[in-house]
């Protein structure tokens, strides 16, 4: 089973780093918080870049 990215929306500060890093995976929801809309929209390396860059560490992998 593949890993999929997960955003803890309660911790998200809407900085936009993940959206700009992986626009094929992340987008802003109606509440202006990041959400995963297409977990297969980028390779794992690019998604990991977004995870590592998140200033509040609200993005993680779910197995």
């Amino acid at each position: 089973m593949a890993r999929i990215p997960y955003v803890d929306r309660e911790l998200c500060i809407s900085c936009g780093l993940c959206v700009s890093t992986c626009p094929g995976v992340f987008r802003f929801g109606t509440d202006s918080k990041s959400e995963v809309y297409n977990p297969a929209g980028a390779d794992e390396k690019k998604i990991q870049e977004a995870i590592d860059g998140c200033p509040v560490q609200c993005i993680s992998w779910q197995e």
Side-chain angles (χ1 to χ4, degrees), residues 10-33:
E10 290 189 25
L11 296 176
C12 179
I13 59 171
S14 305
C15 74
L17 182 109
C18 60
V19 175
S20 63
T21 302
C22 292
V25 176
F26 303 99
R27 67 180 175 194
F28 288 119
T30 56
D31 60 356
S32 298
K33 302 281 183 151

Side-chain angles (χ1 to χ4, degrees), residues 36-52:
V36 175
Y37 76 98
N38 180 14
D43 63 33
E44 284 194 8
K45 183 177 177 183
K46 194 68 173 171
I47 295 169
Q48 186 64 52
E49 187 179 319
I51 290 170
D52 293 342

